[in-house]
């Protein structure tokens, strides 16, 4: 059963933009936390951005890793069960496979930690040429 499907990756020149989409279905669609991670060849999977739905301790909060702050924007369309990652001013070091992930909130969870997520997409390649 497919839960998360990413799209929107591709090849772009440095300074360009891409918008990634993540369509959620099934149980993944009802999760409160959606995240974007990326993994470059030979490197560990790293957190890029996350968005948390309204809950008692974090209402509509967004998170970004320092290297993408001011360049990337995460958003969600609840009616479409879709999360977006708008990526502007792309750099060659942004080149990676980008993964969408989803989970529900839980005490002690860390939105930046991959192991805290229950559902993962198949990934979409983003390549930024210099």
């Amino acid at each position: 059963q497919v839960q998360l499907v990413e799209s929107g990756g591709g090849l772009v020149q440095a300074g360009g933009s891409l918008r990634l989409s993540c369509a959620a279905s099934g149980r993944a669609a009802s999760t409160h936390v959606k995240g974007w991670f990326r993994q470059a060849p030979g490197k560990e999977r790293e957190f890029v951005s996350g968005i948390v739905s309204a809950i008692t301790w974090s209402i509509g909060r967004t998170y970004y890793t320092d290297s993408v702050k001011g360049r990337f924007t995460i958003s969600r369309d609840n009616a479409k069960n879709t999360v977006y990652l708008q990526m502007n001013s792309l750099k060659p070091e942004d080149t990676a496979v980008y993964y969408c992930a989803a989970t529900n909130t839980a005490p002690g969870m860390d939105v930046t930690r991959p192991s805290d997520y229950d559902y993962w997409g198949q990934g979409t390649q983003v390549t930024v040429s210099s």
Side-chain angles (χ1 to χ4, degrees), residues 4 6 35-48 65 96-102 111-115 117-124:
L4 297 171
E6 303 99 332
W36 286 99
F37 292 78
R38 65 187 180 188
Q39 188 166 18
K43 295 187 177 181
E44 293 187 354
R45 190 167 298 188
E46 66 170 353
F47 172 78
V48 176
T65 192
V97 177
Y98 283 70
Y99 297 91
C100 177
V111 296
T112 71
R113 188 164 54 204
S115 60
Y117 287 78
D118 297 314
Y119 305 99
W120 289 87
Q122 81 288 350
T124 185

Side-chain angles (χ1 to χ4, degrees), residues 9-81:
L11 173 64
V12 65
Q13 289 188 334
S17 299
L18 285 173
R19 188 177 80 156
L20 305 183
S21 299
C22 173
S25 62
R27 293 180 180 179
S30 61
T31 53
H32 291 145
V33 183
K34 299 294 195 299
W36 286 99
F37 292 78
R38 65 187 180 188
Q39 188 166 18
K43 295 187 177 181
E44 293 187 354
R45 190 167 298 188
E46 66 170 353
F47 172 78
V48 176
S49 181
I51 186 166
V52 181
S53 299
I55 57 174
T56 55
W57 55 268
S58 182
I59 300 177
R61 183 172 293 177
T62 58
Y63 302 82
Y64 299 94
T65 192
D66 286 346
S67 63
V68 308
K69 285 180 180 177
R71 300 190 297 122
F72 291 10
T73 303
I74 190 170
S75 62
R76 64 189 299 166
D77 184 333
N78 291 331
K80 296 181 178 180
N81 289 325

Side-chain angles (χ1 to χ4, degrees), residues 85-97:
L85 185 68
Q86 178 66 45
M87 306 186 296
N88 298 328
S89 301
L90 283 161
K91 304 175 181 180
E93 50 263 44
D94 295 318
T95 295
V97 177

